Amino acid sequence: IGHTAIRVNDIVYEYYPTDENGNNKYDISELLGSKGEMHVDSIPEFNKNYAGREVTYYQLNLTPEQIDKLKNILENIAKDTGKYRLLSGNQCTSVALHSLIEAGVQLNTAPTIEGNKLTSGYGLSPNNVKTIFNNPINRNLITRVMRFVVGK
């Protein structure tokens, strides 16, 4: 399945469901409807949490204004996380894409926002991010792509 996160400077923002029953995993009920959590981690914290996992990293060509706006959007989500719903709205990929679009990043072939929802926010996955970023129409947006195992 995978996961989508956004790094702004030296901070990584990751949207998750809440482990409501404390069993250190996300049960189906938590994935389908629990309080959302925005993890705000330093690079060393992210590296510790994802050690040994494969990551595809896309560096985007954003203006300073877009970077500031993106950071503010993600910080606001961290304050008011809403409900995590894997199949019907807020989940890691939809939050990441929505945040980029709201910050003014032009993602061609990406879902669009109608009201406050992505039109295809249902069932989005990290593979959708790869499809969008790997599309030649977005080549001017991507300045670097790296695929690596964290900690190696």
Side-chain angles (χ1 to χ4, degrees):
I1 292 176
H3 182 59
T4 304
I6 294 182
R7 176 180 163 185
V8 179
N9 300 320
D10 292 333
I11 302 295
V12 180
Y13 297 87
E14 307 167 82
Y15 190 76
Y16 288 96
T18 298
D19 179 15
E20 294 174 331
N21 61 14
N23 66 353
N24 294 319
K25 63 180 182 178
Y26 301 118
D27 296 327
I28 193 70
S29 63
E30 295 161 339
L31 291 170
L32 295 179
S34 66
K35 183 175 180 350
E37 291 182 1
M38 179 65 85
H39 296 192
V40 181
D41 293 332
S42 66
I43 300 298
E45 289 170 315
F46 177 85
N47 289 343
K48 178 182 166 196
N49 294 337
Y50 282 85
R53 294 189 186 173
E54 189 173 294
V55 170
T56 303
Y57 171 85
Y58 294 90
Q59 184 173 337
L60 306 182
N61 183 21
L62 304 183
T63 67
E65 293 80 18
Q66 288 171 321
I67 292 169
D68 288 344
K69 192 168 183 182
L70 179 60
K71 183 178 179 192
N72 287 335
I73 290 165
L74 295 167
E75 291 290 337
N76 285 333
I77 294 170
K79 293 175 191 168
D80 183 11
T81 57
K83 196 94 163 156
Y84 185 99
R85 291 195 167 114
L86 182 63
L87 300 177
S88 61
N90 283 347
Q91 35 94 334
C92 63
T93 302
S94 63
V95 166
L97 289 174
H98 186 271
S99 298
L100 288 167
I101 294 167
E102 282 289 311
V105 178
Q106 295 295 314
L107 295 174
N108 294 302
T109 73
T112 58
I113 299 173
E114 288 182 12
N116 199 25
K117 293 186 178 179
L118 291 170
T119 56
S120 61
Y122 305 103
L124 286 173
S125 75
N127 280 331
N128 295 109
V129 173
K130 286 182 181 180
T131 299
I132 291 165
F133 289 161
N134 289 335
N135 190 312
I137 200 166
N138 290 314
R139 101 173 44 106
N140 292 334
L141 176 64
I142 310 301
T143 58
R144 185 174 174 194
V145 179
M146 293 177 14
R147 191 173 185 145
F148 59 93
V149 175
V150 177
K152 294 204 176 198

